[in-house]
Amino acid sequence: AQSVTQLDSHVSVSEGTPVLLRCNYSSSYSPSLFWYVQHPNKGLQLLLKYTSAATLVKGINGFEAEFKKSETSFHLTKPSAHMSDAAEYFCVVSARGTYKYIFGTGTRLKVLA
Amino acid sequence: DAGVIQSPRHEVTEMGQEVTLRCKPISGHDYLFWYRQTMMRGLELLIYFNNNVPIDDSGMPEDRFSAKMPNASFSTLKIQPSEPRDSAVYFCASSLFTGLTEAFFGQGTRLTVV
């Protein structure tokens, strides 16, 4: 069975400081992992994905995530937050060959001026 | 491609009325998914289709909910009769292959049942 836990429901950072959004997963099989972002009243947009290639994955808007199998983690980072990064972020796990995306509960990122 | 297109963007209806949500997936995508997002339950998969065929509808909450995909470019999610607890944002998504490739989401339909 697959599951995903986002460790923080809310994160606040100051503009220009680093962002860390934490995600732990559980999967019986080699997982595919994704981060999606949802801006207010918008759909979900893919930030990045891990599908067993490089463990450090670079995404859009300066975000990246590192797959750490030993820690079963897939944390999302960005060196310097921008006001436009304020949104809700979802970590998603999908077992290979299955249809199901398992969504985390989301982390709401607030960026302070 | 314009992406996944959902209509309407907002729907307000009275309890007991029939509601139909529409989705046009990205051309060439084999899979189509319907999700529901609420504060209490987050994002839930309701049903998904592969090549227009419903594969798993175990997430559909009740018989009041039904979904169809008459062709590769159109799907509907119908609620009849609607209830206030159906109020949520409904997302449609499509993808090429599940698990390995990402799903592309529409903008969602915000349904309010009063």
Side-chain angles (χ1 to χ4, degrees), chain A residues 8-63:
Chain A
D8 307 292
S9 58
H10 293 82
V11 170
S12 291
V13 300
S14 296
E15 191 175 22
T17 64
V19 176
L20 170 64
L21 305 183
R22 298 181 295 165
C23 173
N24 287 115
Y25 70 91
S26 172
S27 179
S28 304
Y29 306 95
S30 182
S32 294
L33 293 157
F34 308 83
W35 276 99
Y36 281 84
V37 61
Q38 184 179 28
H39 287 92
N41 300 312
K42 299 288 186 183
L44 287 89
Q45 180 185 19
L46 180 73
L47 275 179
L48 50 80
K49 65 179 179 181
Y50 166 78
T51 55
S52 85
T55 56
L56 182 62
V57 182
K58 294 189 183 299
I60 62 170
N61 300 334
F63 284 95

Side-chain angles (χ1 to χ4, degrees), chain B residues 30-41:
Chain B
D30 306 293
Y31 290 85
L32 183 139
F33 308 85
W34 281 101
Y35 285 87
R36 178 172 68 175
Q37 184 179 36
T38 61
M39 290 291 292
M40 291 298 295
R41 301 174 68 91

Side-chain angles (χ1 to χ4, degrees), chain B residues 15-90:
Chain B
M15 182 173 64
Q17 296 298 306
E18 177 180 297
V19 176
T20 299
L21 311 181
R22 296 173 176 79
C23 174
K24 181 180 187 304
I26 293 173
S27 177
H29 280 191
D30 306 293
Y31 290 85
L32 183 139
F33 308 85
W34 281 101
Y35 285 87
R36 178 172 68 175
Q37 184 179 36
T38 61
M39 290 291 292
M40 291 298 295
R41 301 174 68 91
L43 275 152
E44 305 172 274
L45 177 64
L46 300 178
I47 185 171
Y48 88 103
F49 295 82
N50 177 213
N51 292 324
N52 314 338
V53 176
I55 302 300
D56 187 340
D57 64 357
S58 60
M60 297 284 261
E62 309 172 27
D63 292 345
R64 299 184 295 106
F65 285 70
S66 62
K68 294 182 180 179
M69 192 165 185
N71 57 61
S73 59
F74 184 65
S75 176
T76 59
L77 178 67
K78 185 178 293 186
I79 307 172
Q80 164 65 18
S82 57
E83 296 183 4
R85 59 196 169 114
D86 301 331
S87 298
V89 181
Y90 291 81

Side-chain angles (χ1 to χ4, degrees), chain B residues 6-21:
Chain B
Q6 291 185 247
S7 64
R9 290 293 310 278
H10 302 273
E11 176 80 41
V12 180
T13 190
E14 291 186 347
M15 182 173 64
Q17 296 298 306
E18 177 180 297
V19 176
T20 299
L21 311 181

Side-chain angles (χ1 to χ4, degrees), chain A residues 20-111:
Chain A
L20 170 64
L21 305 183
R22 298 181 295 165
C23 173
N24 287 115
Y25 70 91
S26 172
S27 179
S28 304
Y29 306 95
S30 182
S32 294
L33 293 157
F34 308 83
W35 276 99
Y36 281 84
V37 61
Q38 184 179 28
H39 287 92
N41 300 312
K42 299 288 186 183
L44 287 89
Q45 180 185 19
L46 180 73
L47 275 179
L48 50 80
K49 65 179 179 181
Y50 166 78
T51 55
S52 85
T55 56
L56 182 62
V57 182
K58 294 189 183 299
I60 62 170
N61 300 334
F63 284 95
E64 62 182 38
E66 186 171 7
F67 173 72
K68 291 188 176 180
K69 187 175 181 179
S70 60
E71 299 176 11
T72 61
S73 69
F74 191 57
H75 301 334
L76 182 70
T77 60
K78 182 173 180 177
S80 175
H82 190 273
M83 296 298 288
S84 61
D85 295 327
E88 187 147 24
Y89 292 78
F90 292 93
C91 183
V92 181
V93 66
S94 174
R96 300 294 172 80
T98 74
Y99 62 91
K100 268 192 169 177
Y101 274 26
I102 306 299
F103 280 81
T105 50
T107 298
R108 188 168 296 277
L109 175 66
K110 188 174 182 179
V111 181

